[in-house]
Amino acid sequence: MTLKDSLSADMKAAMKESQGKEKLSTLRLLKSAIQYEEIEKGHELSDEEVLGIITREIKKRQDVIPDYRRAGREEAVNKILEEISFLQNYLPQQLTETEVENLVMQVIRETGARGPKDMGVVMKAIMPKTKGRADGKTVNHIVKRLLEAN
C-alpha cells in the first residue's frame, strides 16, 4: 500500500468518525498539496516524493507556532500541534540523535571531511540518508559540532 493509498483510507475513516473533523481537514490539505505537486511535475509521485511533501507541510506548521505564541493564541497553537501529530503518522520512524551522530561520523569518514569548511560536502552526502527520518536543523547542528571537533 502506497502512502497515497494509506492517506485515502485514513480520509475515509475520518469521514466516518464523529470527532474526525480536524483530522479530515488536515488530510484534505495534505492530499491537495500532493495533487498540486503531481500537476506541477506532470507525473504520479513516488512515496519518497510524498514523504518530502509531508515533511514540508510539517515544517510549515512548526514555523508558525512561535508567531502564534507571541500573539497569545494558544488555541491556534494547540490546533497546529494536533495537525502536526496527524501528519507525523505518515513519516517513517524518526532517527535518534545518537543514530544521526553515527551516520554523520560515517559520512565524515567516507568524504574525508577535515573541518567546518567541508560542511557543504557532508550535508550533501548526509541529507539523502536522513530524508524524512530526521529534522534538517538537527542534522545541521550535529554536522557543525562534529566538524568543529575535528
Side-chain angles (χ1 to χ4, degrees):
M1 177 180 267
T2 67
L3 272 173
K4 285 177 33 179
D5 294 339
S6 177
L7 176 65
S8 294
D10 289 349
M11 282 179 66
K12 287 176 190 172
M15 283 182 214
K16 293 176 184 176
E17 294 175 19
S18 58
Q19 265 75 36
K21 281 184 182 178
E22 299 299 324
K23 184 175 186 177
L24 181 60
S25 172
T26 303
L27 296 179
R28 281 183 173 152
L29 286 171
L30 176 59
K31 189 166 185 167
S32 173
I34 291 168
Q35 289 173 335
Y36 179 79
E37 192 81 14
E38 284 180 337
I39 291 169
E40 282 287 309
K41 292 191 174 188
H43 64 83
E44 192 167 328
L45 299 180
S46 67
D47 276 353
E48 188 174 302
E49 291 170 311
V50 172
L51 275 177
I53 293 171
I54 295 169
T55 304
R56 185 175 64 219
E57 290 296 315
I58 290 172
K59 182 157 178 29
K60 280 183 193 176
R61 286 163 174 79
Q62 288 172 334
D63 289 346
V64 299
I65 289 175
D67 297 333
Y68 282 127
R69 283 217 164 105
R70 276 193 298 275
R73 299 194 51 208
E74 284 304 313
E75 188 175 307
V77 170
N78 292 335
K79 183 179 183 290
I80 291 171
L81 290 172
E82 187 178 23
E83 289 177 3
I84 289 171
S85 73
F86 293 146
L87 294 173
Q88 285 177 331
N89 290 331
Y90 296 97
L91 294 179
Q93 180 67 36
Q94 297 293 293
L95 296 171
T96 65
E97 200 165 316
T98 306
E99 291 171 325
V100 174
E101 279 185 26
N102 291 337
L103 272 174
V104 170
M105 296 285 271
Q106 178 185 347
V107 169
I108 288 173
R109 283 192 299 273
E110 289 172 2
T111 59
R114 297 279 181 229
K117 65 179 175 29
D118 295 326
M119 186 162 175
V121 174
V122 175
M123 288 300 292
K124 185 176 182 182
I126 192 77
M127 288 313 290
K129 294 180 181 186
T130 61
K131 186 171 186 160
R133 301 186 317 149
D135 180 48
K137 279 185 187 174
T138 304
V139 174
N140 188 325
H141 290 295
I142 291 171
V143 168
K144 189 179 287 185
R145 179 171 42 93
L146 291 175
L147 285 175
E148 287 174 355
N150 274 348

